[in-house]
């Protein structure tokens, strides 16, 4: 039996250095883009809410369309509990995305291991993992909370166990368990079974039968008696689509399409190519979520691309001597375990051929040397000798040698030129993809701002919330019994005072007619963010406006103009502009006029309450400078309608804040003046 050459300590350290460098790159980029706001996935919020509910032993029903994966939710919940992510992170979404980040790093390591065990060289494996680690498309997909990221880690782990050199039965049993876990996490992981079976049959058909029996037994239980608890379902197809993701890295997408087809001609990666083609074909099936499929494809296609590139380079690389061809050729003709070395049986069969070829090559070389040493020297009267006596005569075999040297140079230059072109194209593609991700400086985002606003203004109230707001507010300590998700409005909504919905609010109101009825008489009170990340806080049950009542905005503007003309009131330009536009709360206008009758007043600003300007609410805070003692005594002594919510001494002066919703009729209408 031919023994594999031992790996030197230097090679092991080099591999470890490469893996650690790639992990650092992958982890750093994913942390940087962890809170990137787009592309956004609507179903992500429901997965986060389910993970929180399982981890805190509470119940949650999503609005529908987010898919079902009890085993995937359980994995996310367990990971967040072990890492205490919900208590450490700025938002519930960021907490679960941490787990997805760890899964992406685990997938990076497993992709390296699988590449090496499939026969890719150290540098080909590094190039494949580098594509996964740094591609904008991979960064965008792998930051989203989808259970397919967990499924692909299980699948890659199974393939790494199957391709293990000198694998034992326990490794095959573990591989069957990993495949079962992958399928229970996402049904799309079934497409990894052809690759696993192919690799097992190559190595040991009896072991393949054992794995098939174990896997079928597990699937039969999971999809049979335990189907109500374990059976997963795919999410509905929503944006982003394949075209949206392809815009982040079009060159990688084009190379992946080529690699999926070309890899069928490369024996080392042909089983993996079958899985890749099946997954790519599901992108054409209506109703299948594109993001879920790409989450499984992202770690696979770079391995195929690296395998195809390695085979192409070896095909065009010239042999340096007789034994070079014998060592490099079997890379595409037999199973390999390390850097393209052939398997034992194939190497044993080819050994006599290689020895005989080497003997013939040596014999031919000796014959040429013998003829060269016994060749008769040309007569000096020849023109070539007499015209250039100082120049040596060219050998008869010089022209063929020069031709072979030129052909060898061209064959060596072709792969290098192709690699340079590919690197330049990928660099251009990445230069356009990275700006599209736009890493967010604010780790909280609009939903965290809405959470803080509700804590300050609606603490203890009953809320109607969407899936994302449910997870965020429950994680912030809001009692889950006072949070009603859209699924609770199937027949009728429970009583609530406020509602918090994102950009999906109109769609949910159409799906749940009872929810739309709860918004009768609702008014937008605070708005955070914009576009797809917009979050609106609604006050429910407001009294309908009196159609006979005069509008309040002109009255506020008229009274504010009068305050700016008073000699006893000093205003900064920004504060005066707020009064003239009628953007100040009528209670502030009335109390500032009353305070000016007692003492001179200096107003520095009317600070905005975050989110309320976008909802059209008047400014209900004012910052006074000078005369702080009298100002504090005046406002703390107010009663009933004019009693402020808080009077606080700050470094800039006295900050007075009134509660929401001033009663109508505090100012005299302009028409009656």
């Amino acid at each position: 039996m031919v023994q594999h050459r031992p790996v030197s300590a230097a090679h092991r350290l080099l591999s470890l250095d490469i893996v650690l460098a790639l992990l650092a790159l992958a982890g750093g980029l994913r942390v940087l883009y962890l809170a990137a706001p787009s592309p956004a996935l609507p179903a992500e919020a429901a997965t986060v809410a389910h993970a929180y509910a399982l981890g805190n032993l509470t119940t949650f029903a999503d609005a529908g369309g987010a898919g079902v994966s009890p085993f995937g939710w359980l994995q996310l919940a367990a990971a967040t509990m072990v890492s205490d992510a919900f208590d450490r992170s700025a938002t519930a979404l960021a907490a679960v995305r941490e787990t997805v980040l760890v899964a992406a790093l685990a997938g990076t390591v497993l992709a390296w291991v699988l590449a090496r065990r499939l026969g890719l060289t150290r540098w080909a494996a590094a190039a494949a993992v580098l594509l996964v680690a740094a591609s904008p498309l991979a960064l965008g997909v792998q930051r989203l909370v989808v259970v397919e990221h967990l499924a692909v880690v299980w699948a890659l782990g199974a393939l790494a166990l199957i391709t293990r050199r000198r694998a034992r039965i326990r490794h095959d049993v573990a591989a069957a368990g990993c495949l079962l876990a992958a399928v229970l996490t996402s049904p799309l992981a079934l497409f990894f079974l052809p690759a696993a079976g192919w690799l097992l049959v190559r190595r040991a058909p009896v072991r393949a039968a054992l794995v098939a029996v174990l896997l079928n037994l597990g699937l039969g239980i999971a999809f049979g008696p335990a189907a109500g608890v374990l059976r997963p379902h795919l999410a509905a197809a929503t944006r982003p689509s394949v075209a949206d993701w392809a815009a982040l890295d079009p060159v990688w997408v084009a190379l992946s399409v080529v690699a999926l087809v070309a890899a069928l001609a490369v024996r080392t990666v042909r089983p993996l190519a079958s899985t890749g083609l099946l997954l790519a074909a599901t992108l054409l099936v209506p109703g299948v979520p594109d993001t879920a499929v790409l989450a499984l494809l992202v770690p696979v296609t770079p391995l195929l691309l690296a395998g195809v590139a390695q085979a192409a380079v070896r095909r065009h690389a010239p042999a340096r001597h007789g034994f070079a061809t014998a060592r490099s050729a079997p890379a595409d003709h037999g199973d390999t375990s390390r850097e393209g070395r052939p398997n034992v049986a194939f190497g044993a069969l080819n050994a006599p051929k290689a020895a005989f070829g080497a003997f013939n090559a040596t014999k031919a070389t000796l014959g040429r040397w013998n003829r060269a040493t016994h060749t008769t020297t040309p007569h000096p009267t020849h023109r070539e000798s007499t015209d250039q006596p100082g120049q040596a005569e060219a050998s008869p075999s010089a022209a063929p040698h020069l031709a072979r040297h030129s052909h060898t140079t061209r064959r060596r230059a072709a792969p290098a030129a192709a690699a340079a072109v590919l690197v330049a194209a990928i660099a251009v593609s990445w230069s356009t993809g990275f700006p599209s991700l736009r890493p967010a400086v604010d780790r909280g985002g609009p939903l965290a701002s809405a959470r803080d606003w509700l804590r300050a203004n609606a603490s203890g109230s009953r809320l109607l919330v969407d899936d994302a707001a449910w997870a965020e507010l429950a994680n912030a300590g809001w009692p889950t019994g006072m949070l009603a998700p859209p699924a609770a409005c199937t027949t009728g909504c429970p009583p609530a005072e406020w509602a918090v919905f994102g950009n999906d609010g109109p769609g949910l109101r159409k799906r749940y007619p009872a929810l739309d009825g709860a918004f009768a008489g609702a008014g937008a009170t605070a708005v955070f963010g914009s576009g797809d990340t917009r979050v609106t806080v609604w006050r429910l049950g407001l009294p309908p406006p009196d159609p006979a009542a005069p509008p309040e905005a002109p009255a506020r503007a008229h009274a504010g103009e009068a305050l700016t003309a008073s000699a006893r009131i000093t205003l900064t330009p920004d504060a005066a502009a707020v009064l003239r536009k009628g953007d100040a709360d009528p209670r502030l206008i009335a109390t500032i006029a009353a305070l000016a009758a007692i003492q001179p007043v200096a107003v520095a600003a009317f600070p905005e309450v975050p989110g309320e300007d976008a909802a059209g609410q008047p400014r209900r805070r004012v910052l006074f400078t000078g005369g702080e003692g009298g100002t504090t005594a005046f406002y703390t002594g107010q009663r009933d309608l004019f009693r402020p919510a808080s009077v606080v001494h700050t470094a800039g002066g006295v900050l007075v804040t009134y509660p929401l919703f001033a009663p109508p009729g505090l100012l005299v209408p302009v028409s009656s003046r």
Side-chain angles (χ1 to χ4, degrees):
M1 175 180 288
V2 178
Q3 299 293 329
H4 292 281
R5 292 181 301 175
V7 182
S8 67
H11 285 173
R12 291 185 183 276
L13 288 176
L14 178 60
S15 297
L16 181 61
D17 290 341
I18 294 173
V19 172
L20 291 178
L22 292 172
L23 279 177
L25 176 64
L29 288 175
R30 278 153 182 78
V31 169
L32 179 63
Y33 290 95
L34 189 68
S38 61
L41 185 67
E44 189 178 21
T47 306
V48 173
H50 281 293
Y52 178 86
L54 276 177
N56 290 272
L57 301 179
T58 186
T59 58
F60 171 75
D62 59 64
V68 177
S69 179
F71 187 60
W73 299 338
L74 184 61
Q75 295 173 65
L76 294 174
T80 53
M81 290 175 64
V82 170
S83 63
D84 198 24
F86 281 114
D87 291 335
R88 292 184 296 98
S89 302
T91 62
L93 176 61
V96 185
R97 279 186 175 182
E98 283 186 12
T99 303
V100 175
L101 187 150
V102 174
L105 296 183
T108 300
V109 176
L110 290 172
W112 166 271
V113 173
L114 179 59
R116 298 287 287 145
R117 290 181 178 178
L118 286 175
L120 298 186
T121 63
R122 185 178 293 108
W123 301 112
V129 177
L130 178 63
L131 283 176
V132 180
S135 169
L137 190 152
L139 290 176
V141 171
Q142 291 185 339
R143 85 185 202 289
L144 297 177
V145 180
V146 291
V147 294
E148 281 72 19
H149 294 313
L150 307 177
V152 76
V153 173
W154 287 112
L156 291 175
L159 296 180
L161 288 170
I162 290 171
T163 53
R164 177 186 172 90
R165 185 155 45 97
R166 293 189 295 270
R168 300 179 180 271
I169 293 181
R170 65 174 181 269
H171 299 125
D172 293 334
V173 172
C178 289
L179 289 173
L180 178 61
V183 175
L184 291 181
T185 304
S186 172
L188 289 173
L190 285 168
F191 292 116
F192 279 89
L193 298 186
W198 197 332
L199 291 170
L200 274 169
V201 170
R202 273 186 181 179
R203 195 193 70 200
V206 176
R207 297 280 186 86
L210 172 64
V211 172
V213 170
L214 293 176
L215 183 60
N216 285 329
L217 177 63
L219 291 177
I221 296 174
F223 287 81
V229 179
L230 292 176
R231 185 174 182 175
H233 297 280
L234 288 177
T238 58
R239 297 185 70 87
S241 63
V242 175
D244 298 328
W245 289 118
L248 293 177
D249 198 347
V251 171
W252 188 25
V253 172
L255 292 175
S256 297
V257 172
V258 174
L260 285 170
V261 178
L264 293 175
V266 181
R267 190 174 190 274
T268 54
V269 293
R270 192 177 297 156
L272 206 58
S274 65
T275 289
L277 284 174
L278 290 174
L279 286 171
T282 59
L283 293 172
L284 305 176
V285 179
V288 176
D290 295 343
T291 302
V293 177
L294 289 177
L296 299 174
L297 265 177
V298 159
V300 172
T301 53
L303 297 179
L304 301 179
L305 183 61
V308 171
Q310 176 177 290
V313 170
R314 284 180 171 176
R315 183 178 180 85
H316 289 83
R320 289 177 295 179
H321 47 76
F323 294 98
T325 304
R327 291 185 57 188
S328 61
D332 288 339
H333 299 284
D335 290 338
T336 56
S337 57
R338 290 188 61 258
E339 296 193 12
R341 287 198 295 273
N343 60 20
V344 174
F346 193 85
L349 291 174
N350 282 343
K353 284 185 179 180
F356 187 73
F359 174 78
N360 286 338
T362 305
K363 181 178 178 181
T365 302
L366 290 174
R368 286 195 300 270
W369 176 80
N370 187 41
R371 287 193 302 271
T373 54
H374 292 81
T375 302
T376 304
T377 304
H379 196 274
T381 59
H382 289 182
R383 173 171 295 185
E384 291 82 3
S385 301
T386 56
D387 291 346
Q388 298 179 359
Q391 182 176 352
E393 182 183 2
S395 173
S397 60
H401 278 300
L402 290 175
R404 285 196 297 271
H405 177 73
S406 176
H407 180 63
T408 300
T409 303
R410 288 195 300 270
R411 294 184 67 181
R412 288 177 177 174
V421 172
L422 286 179
V423 170
I426 291 174
V428 173
S429 179
W430 288 5
S431 65
T432 60
F434 276 111
S436 301
L437 290 176
R438 298 191 306 274
V441 178
D442 182 14
R443 293 291 180 178
L447 193 55
S449 301
R451 173 202 63 197
D452 297 339
W453 188 95
L454 286 166
R455 277 177 168 177
N457 299 280
S459 181
S461 301
R462 293 183 176 273
L463 308 177
L464 288 177
V465 294
D466 59 8
D467 294 344
W470 189 96
E472 189 58 44
L473 292 172
N475 185 46
W478 212 284
T480 55
M482 304 185 73
L483 299 174
C489 297
T490 304
T491 57
C493 289
E497 303 162 79
W498 298 86
V500 185
F501 283 87
N503 195 46
D504 57 346
L508 292 174
R509 290 166 64 177
K510 291 180 180 179
R511 189 183 308 173
Y512 297 96
L515 180 63
D516 189 54
F519 272 81
T525 308
V527 177
F528 303 92
S530 60
D532 292 338
T533 61
R534 179 186 177 99
V535 177
T536 305
V537 179
W538 303 79
R539 183 69 165 96
L540 303 179
L542 290 175
D546 184 3
E552 189 179 79
R556 293 200 304 261
H558 187 275
E561 185 69 35
L563 290 183
T564 59
S566 174
R568 294 179 61 83
I569 301 176
T570 303
L571 300 165
T572 61
D574 290 341
V578 171
L579 288 172
R580 290 192 181 98
K581 289 190 296 183
D583 291 341
D585 190 286
R587 293 166 293 185
L588 287 180
I589 295 174
T591 53
I592 290 174
L595 180 60
I598 301 173
Q599 65 179 43
V601 176
V603 177
F606 291 92
E608 174 198 0
V609 177
E612 293 187 9
D613 275 12
Q617 297 294 326
R619 301 279 180 96
R620 53 189 179 91
R621 294 198 298 186
V622 62
L623 180 63
F624 294 101
T625 56
E628 296 182 2
T631 301
T632 302
F634 174 80
Y635 276 99
T636 54
Q638 297 297 314
R639 295 291 182 266
D640 299 330
L641 297 178
F642 294 99
R643 183 176 181 83
S646 64
V647 180
V648 181
H649 285 269
T650 65
V654 178
L655 181 64
V656 178
T657 304
Y658 272 91
L660 282 162
F661 308 120
L666 293 181
L667 299 176
V668 179
V670 177
S671 58
S672 35
R673 291 179 184 271

